[in-house]
Amino acid sequence: MKLSILRGSLEIGGSCVKISHDGHAIIIDMGLPLYDKDGKNFDKRKAREMLPDEPGLYKQPYIDAILLSHSHQDHYGLIAYSAESIPVYASKGSIDLTLISEMLEKFKISESRFRMIKDKQVFIIGPFEITAYSVDHSAYDSMAFKVKAGGKTLVYSGDFRANGQRNWVFENLLKGVNEQVDALLLEGTMIGGTERQNRTEENVEDDLVKELQKEHKGLTFISFSSQNIGRFRSIYRACVKTRKTFIIDPYQAYILEKWPISMPKYNANNIKVYCVKNSNHSKVIFKDYKIYKFGKNKISVKEILENPEQYVIIDHHHVREAFKKKLEGSRVIWSMWEGYLKQENNYWAGKNVEMCKIHASGHADVAALKKLADKLKPGVIIPIHTNNPCKYADIFKKHKVLKLADKEETKL
Ligand SMILES: [Zn+2]
Ligand SMILES: [Zn+2]
């Protein structure tokens, strides 16, 4: 079995891995980079320039399949540019969320390309026997993969974390892989970073409750990713506990509606929908189901401003636009990666609002990475999805670390 990282050996995001054996090949993830070479947010219009240099993905495709680990753009973002005939294997959650994310894109992955896979499912593609394992991450229904071929075994961790109430999925992965692992492609987002102590989703909920219990006269904005269903739930529960009303937008309502699992929807008791009409998302969503659907759960700017301390409102661009002249006295709860806040175009920079940060990373801390490595005892650990591949050797002293450059091929 041969393996190369087409992209992502030296950066967080943009991951793309090729595995080949006996005249067949599969790709794991085909993501859009998060940053360009100057460290600025990657401009999606330049996506074509970033396509992996792998002819088998395009005009005369010979790649057998693409496995998608989860619904973050740095993992699926370039799949739409690959040949229609290549199937894409992903979990139900990843398929649903990717389709929703791409609804505004010009190039999107056709729904017919997806093949749904489940936790612990074993499936065969050419000479490869693949097992999917659920992992916990900030994208719902994320997966790690075990790939076997030619008597060798490789594990791709994908993006994952291992703490909090969903820790059982990590334990399942530890229990599930019992054979000799020849290579572990291990994400290292937290390696060498500043966020050392990995907090749990339960910590987030507790901190939100404490913050919302504080006396505050103005409106509270909350910044989080609409697709981070776990975070939505934490905020919702904190609002219930503190008797606040959570105001979402049609996009969030749409995601919740599409969600099969038990999750509060737009018509829950303490949820209201602020029906901004002019956002691109709303235009598409209102075609699918009409605005009157929200009925008595709709709320207007006027109603919100009559009693602002009662509400926690989703912090989306088009929502804050509606309040931009009335931000004084507002509070912002930043519940996503702190790095976004430091970006120069951040909306809240320089605004006269109270800012409080409550977040837990979607990525494993060093202790969890070590736990995985110690259990799997891989022949080699190959760094991926990290800014600091050089630090792996220091951290995983008991293991052999093989640092691959982008496109460098290794034989297992
Ligand atoms: Zn990622
Ligand atoms: Zn991710």
Side-chain angles (χ1 to χ4, degrees), residues 11-15 29 32 34 69-70 72-75 137-138 156 158-160 187 189 363 385:
E11 65 191 291
I12 293 173
S15 300
D29 288 340
L32 190 72
L34 291 171
S69 65
H70 65 287
H72 280 160
Q73 202 172 45
D74 61 314
H75 297 259
H137 180 48
S138 45
Y156 175 80
D159 291 3
F160 76 104
E187 77 120 312
T189 312
H363 297 277
H385 204 280

mmCIF file of all heavy atoms in Angstrom, residues 11-15 29 32 34 69-70 72-75 137-138 156 158-160 187 189 363 385, ligand 1:
data_model
loop_
_atom_site.group_PDB
_atom_site.id
_atom_site.type_symbol
_atom_site.label_atom_id
_atom_site.label_comp_id
_atom_site.label_asym_id
_atom_site.label_seq_id
_atom_site.Cartn_x
_atom_site.Cartn_y
_atom_site.Cartn_z
ATOM 1 N N GLU A 11 0.054 22.104 7.269
ATOM 2 C CA GLU A 11 -0.901 23.178 7.561
ATOM 3 C C GLU A 11 -2.152 22.582 8.188
ATOM 4 O O GLU A 11 -2.425 21.381 8.053
ATOM 5 C CB GLU A 11 -1.278 23.935 6.286
ATOM 6 C CG GLU A 11 -2.018 23.088 5.280
ATOM 7 C CD GLU A 11 -2.160 23.765 3.921
ATOM 8 O OE1 GLU A 11 -2.894 24.745 3.837
ATOM 9 O OE2 GLU A 11 -1.532 23.290 2.956
ATOM 10 N N ILE A 12 -2.904 23.430 8.853
ATOM 11 C CA ILE A 12 -4.183 23.006 9.411
ATOM 12 C C ILE A 12 -5.224 23.234 8.329
ATOM 13 O O ILE A 12 -5.464 24.365 7.923
ATOM 14 C CB ILE A 12 -4.514 23.806 10.685
ATOM 15 C CG1 ILE A 12 -3.510 23.452 11.790
ATOM 16 C CG2 ILE A 12 -5.941 23.532 11.145
ATOM 17 C CD1 ILE A 12 -3.624 24.298 13.039
ATOM 18 N N GLY A 13 -5.813 22.152 7.856
ATOM 19 C CA GLY A 13 -6.852 22.269 6.828
ATOM 20 C C GLY A 13 -6.333 21.997 5.432
ATOM 21 O O GLY A 13 -5.131 21.782 5.220
ATOM 22 N N GLY A 14 -7.270 21.976 4.485
ATOM 23 C CA GLY A 14 -6.919 21.676 3.097
ATOM 24 C C GLY A 14 -6.455 20.246 2.911
ATOM 25 O O GLY A 14 -5.774 19.922 1.934
ATOM 26 N N SER A 15 -6.840 19.367 3.833
ATOM 27 C CA SER A 15 -6.301 18.003 3.818
ATOM 28 C C SER A 15 -6.725 17.217 2.587
ATOM 29 O O SER A 15 -7.868 17.323 2.129
ATOM 30 C CB SER A 15 -6.779 17.230 5.056
ATOM 31 O OG SER A 15 -6.355 17.870 6.221
ATOM 32 N N ASP A 29 -10.583 12.833 2.019
ATOM 33 C CA ASP A 29 -10.772 14.285 2.129
ATOM 34 C C ASP A 29 -10.149 15.029 0.938
ATOM 35 O O ASP A 29 -9.152 14.595 0.370
ATOM 36 C CB ASP A 29 -10.206 14.849 3.444
ATOM 37 C CG ASP A 29 -11.054 14.447 4.652
ATOM 38 O OD1 ASP A 29 -12.225 14.087 4.450
ATOM 39 O OD2 ASP A 29 -10.537 14.507 5.787
ATOM 40 N N LEU A 32 -10.517 22.475 1.070
ATOM 41 C CA LEU A 32 -10.049 23.800 0.666
ATOM 42 C C LEU A 32 -9.129 24.311 1.780
ATOM 43 O O LEU A 32 -9.465 24.198 2.952
ATOM 44 C CB LEU A 32 -11.270 24.712 0.538
ATOM 45 C CG LEU A 32 -11.084 26.076 -0.087
ATOM 46 C CD1 LEU A 32 -10.866 25.936 -1.589
ATOM 47 C CD2 LEU A 32 -12.319 26.939 0.166
ATOM 48 N N LEU A 34 -7.465 26.626 4.542
ATOM 49 C CA LEU A 34 -8.066 27.687 5.358
ATOM 50 C C LEU A 34 -7.390 29.026 5.085
ATOM 51 O O LEU A 34 -8.017 30.071 5.144
ATOM 52 C CB LEU A 34 -7.927 27.346 6.847
ATOM 53 C CG LEU A 34 -8.757 26.160 7.358
ATOM 54 C CD1 LEU A 34 -8.356 25.805 8.785
ATOM 55 C CD2 LEU A 34 -10.239 26.472 7.301
ATOM 56 N N SER A 69 -14.245 12.718 5.713
ATOM 57 C CA SER A 69 -14.265 12.495 7.168
ATOM 58 C C SER A 69 -15.331 13.337 7.863
ATOM 59 O O SER A 69 -15.947 12.887 8.819
ATOM 60 C CB SER A 69 -12.888 12.769 7.782
ATOM 61 O OG SER A 69 -12.543 14.136 7.645
ATOM 62 N N HIS A 70 -15.562 14.575 7.390
ATOM 63 C CA HIS A 70 -16.597 15.401 8.029
ATOM 64 C C HIS A 70 -16.908 16.637 7.196
ATOM 65 O O HIS A 70 -16.226 16.936 6.214
ATOM 66 C CB HIS A 70 -16.214 15.771 9.462
ATOM 67 C CG HIS A 70 -15.007 16.642 9.593
ATOM 68 N ND1 HIS A 70 -13.724 16.203 9.397
ATOM 69 C CD2 HIS A 70 -14.892 17.957 9.922
ATOM 70 C CE1 HIS A 70 -12.873 17.190 9.606
ATOM 71 N NE2 HIS A 70 -13.552 18.277 9.917
ATOM 72 N N HIS A 72 -16.593 19.832 7.285
ATOM 73 C CA HIS A 72 -15.915 21.132 7.310
ATOM 74 C C HIS A 72 -15.255 21.372 5.956
ATOM 75 O O HIS A 72 -14.685 20.458 5.359
ATOM 76 C CB HIS A 72 -14.854 21.175 8.418
ATOM 77 C CG HIS A 72 -15.446 21.439 9.777
ATOM 78 N ND1 HIS A 72 -14.801 21.132 10.944
ATOM 79 C CD2 HIS A 72 -16.636 21.999 10.129
ATOM 80 C CE1 HIS A 72 -15.558 21.491 11.974
ATOM 81 N NE2 HIS A 72 -16.681 22.014 11.504
ATOM 82 N N GLN A 73 -15.311 22.637 5.553
ATOM 83 C CA GLN A 73 -14.837 22.978 4.222
ATOM 84 C C GLN A 73 -13.361 22.632 3.999
ATOM 85 O O GLN A 73 -12.956 22.330 2.884
ATOM 86 C CB GLN A 73 -15.043 24.475 4.013
ATOM 87 C CG GLN A 73 -15.086 24.850 2.568
ATOM 88 C CD GLN A 73 -15.472 26.300 2.397
ATOM 89 O OE1 GLN A 73 -14.979 27.182 3.092
ATOM 90 N NE2 GLN A 73 -16.360 26.552 1.476
ATOM 91 N N ASP A 74 -12.573 22.675 5.077
ATOM 92 C CA ASP A 74 -11.155 22.341 4.892
ATOM 93 C C ASP A 74 -10.959 20.843 4.642
ATOM 94 O O ASP A 74 -9.840 20.375 4.463
ATOM 95 C CB ASP A 74 -10.296 22.844 6.068
ATOM 96 C CG ASP A 74 -10.671 22.238 7.402
ATOM 97 O OD1 ASP A 74 -11.876 22.172 7.712
ATOM 98 O OD2 ASP A 74 -9.762 21.828 8.146
ATOM 99 N N HIS A 75 -12.086 20.103 4.579
ATOM 100 C CA HIS A 75 -12.028 18.667 4.247
ATOM 101 C C HIS A 75 -12.848 18.313 3.004
ATOM 102 O O HIS A 75 -12.492 17.420 2.263
ATOM 103 C CB HIS A 75 -12.461 17.826 5.453
ATOM 104 C CG HIS A 75 -11.528 18.003 6.609
ATOM 105 N ND1 HIS A 75 -10.553 17.102 6.933
ATOM 106 C CD2 HIS A 75 -11.373 19.048 7.475
ATOM 107 C CE1 HIS A 75 -9.840 17.567 7.954
ATOM 108 N NE2 HIS A 75 -10.324 18.758 8.303
ATOM 109 N N HIS A 137 -16.302 15.732 17.183
ATOM 110 C CA HIS A 137 -15.619 16.910 16.635
ATOM 111 C C HIS A 137 -16.664 18.019 16.562
ATOM 112 O O HIS A 137 -17.846 17.778 16.796
ATOM 113 C CB HIS A 137 -15.056 16.549 15.250
ATOM 114 C CG HIS A 137 -14.329 17.664 14.558
ATOM 115 N ND1 HIS A 137 -13.380 18.428 15.190
ATOM 116 C CD2 HIS A 137 -14.415 18.145 13.282
ATOM 117 C CE1 HIS A 137 -12.922 19.327 14.325
ATOM 118 N NE2 HIS A 137 -13.537 19.184 13.172
ATOM 119 N N SER A 138 -16.247 19.217 16.200
ATOM 120 C CA SER A 138 -17.227 20.306 16.125
ATOM 121 C C SER A 138 -18.135 20.194 14.900
ATOM 122 O O SER A 138 -19.054 20.992 14.741
ATOM 123 C CB SER A 138 -16.505 21.651 16.155
ATOM 124 O OG SER A 138 -15.396 21.620 15.292
ATOM 125 N N TYR A 156 -6.593 6.785 9.670
ATOM 126 C CA TYR A 156 -6.647 8.241 9.450
ATOM 127 C C TYR A 156 -7.538 8.810 10.548
ATOM 128 O O TYR A 156 -8.723 8.482 10.621
ATOM 129 C CB TYR A 156 -7.242 8.501 8.065
ATOM 130 C CG TYR A 156 -7.489 9.957 7.720
ATOM 131 C CD1 TYR A 156 -6.450 10.777 7.289
ATOM 132 C CD2 TYR A 156 -8.767 10.508 7.788
ATOM 133 C CE1 TYR A 156 -6.680 12.107 6.947
ATOM 134 C CE2 TYR A 156 -9.003 11.838 7.445
ATOM 135 C CZ TYR A 156 -7.953 12.624 7.029
ATOM 136 O OH TYR A 156 -8.186 13.940 6.687
ATOM 137 N N GLY A 158 -8.678 11.806 11.092
ATOM 138 C CA GLY A 158 -9.588 12.920 10.817
ATOM 139 C C GLY A 158 -9.442 13.960 11.920
ATOM 140 O O GLY A 158 -8.510 13.893 12.734
ATOM 141 N N ASP A 159 -10.333 14.927 11.967
ATOM 142 C CA ASP A 159 -10.346 15.901 13.069
ATOM 143 C C ASP A 159 -11.168 15.283 14.193
ATOM 144 O O ASP A 159 -12.272 14.800 13.951
ATOM 145 C CB ASP A 159 -11.029 17.207 12.640
ATOM 146 C CG ASP A 159 -10.213 17.982 11.615
ATOM 147 O OD1 ASP A 159 -9.151 17.487 11.199
ATOM 148 O OD2 ASP A 159 -10.653 19.089 11.238
ATOM 149 N N PHE A 160 -10.648 15.285 15.400
ATOM 150 C CA PHE A 160 -11.417 14.684 16.498
ATOM 151 C C PHE A 160 -11.023 15.306 17.826
ATOM 152 O O PHE A 160 -10.009 15.983 17.942
ATOM 153 C CB PHE A 160 -11.188 13.166 16.544
ATOM 154 C CG PHE A 160 -9.849 12.765 17.121
ATOM 155 C CD1 PHE A 160 -9.751 12.264 18.413
ATOM 156 C CD2 PHE A 160 -8.691 12.910 16.379
ATOM 157 C CE1 PHE A 160 -8.518 11.909 18.961
ATOM 158 C CE2 PHE A 160 -7.451 12.559 16.912
ATOM 159 C CZ PHE A 160 -7.365 12.056 18.200
ATOM 160 N N GLU A 187 -4.026 13.905 13.205
ATOM 161 C CA GLU A 187 -4.190 15.365 13.199
ATOM 162 C C GLU A 187 -3.475 15.973 14.406
ATOM 163 O O GLU A 187 -3.417 15.359 15.475
ATOM 164 C CB GLU A 187 -5.681 15.738 13.219
ATOM 165 C CG GLU A 187 -6.380 15.608 14.577
ATOM 166 C CD GLU A 187 -6.971 16.931 15.065
ATOM 167 O OE1 GLU A 187 -6.243 17.948 15.021
ATOM 168 O OE2 GLU A 187 -8.129 16.945 15.502
ATOM 169 N N THR A 189 -3.813 19.609 15.319
ATOM 170 C CA THR A 189 -4.221 21.020 15.365
ATOM 171 C C THR A 189 -3.733 21.698 16.640
ATOM 172 O O THR A 189 -3.290 22.842 16.623
ATOM 173 C CB THR A 189 -5.762 21.114 15.291
ATOM 174 O OG1 THR A 189 -6.209 20.284 14.234
ATOM 175 C CG2 THR A 189 -6.224 22.540 15.073
ATOM 176 N N HIS A 363 -10.830 19.960 18.772
ATOM 177 C CA HIS A 363 -9.659 19.118 18.488
ATOM 178 C C HIS A 363 -9.049 18.515 19.752
ATOM 179 O O HIS A 363 -9.103 19.111 20.826
ATOM 180 C CB HIS A 363 -8.600 19.944 17.756
ATOM 181 C CG HIS A 363 -9.090 20.425 16.422
ATOM 182 N ND1 HIS A 363 -9.048 19.642 15.299
ATOM 183 C CD2 HIS A 363 -9.677 21.594 16.062
ATOM 184 C CE1 HIS A 363 -9.575 20.315 14.284
ATOM 185 N NE2 HIS A 363 -9.965 21.503 14.720
ATOM 186 N N HIS A 385 -2.660 17.884 9.198
ATOM 187 C CA HIS A 385 -3.569 18.873 9.795
ATOM 188 C C HIS A 385 -2.909 19.536 11.003
ATOM 189 O O HIS A 385 -3.454 19.581 12.101
ATOM 190 C CB HIS A 385 -4.877 18.170 10.202
ATOM 191 C CG HIS A 385 -6.077 19.076 10.288
ATOM 192 N ND1 HIS A 385 -6.313 19.884 11.374
ATOM 193 C CD2 HIS A 385 -7.115 19.304 9.449
ATOM 194 C CE1 HIS A 385 -7.445 20.548 11.186
ATOM 195 N NE2 HIS A 385 -7.946 20.228 10.026
HETATM 196 ZN ZN ZN B 1 -10.003 20.403 9.668
#
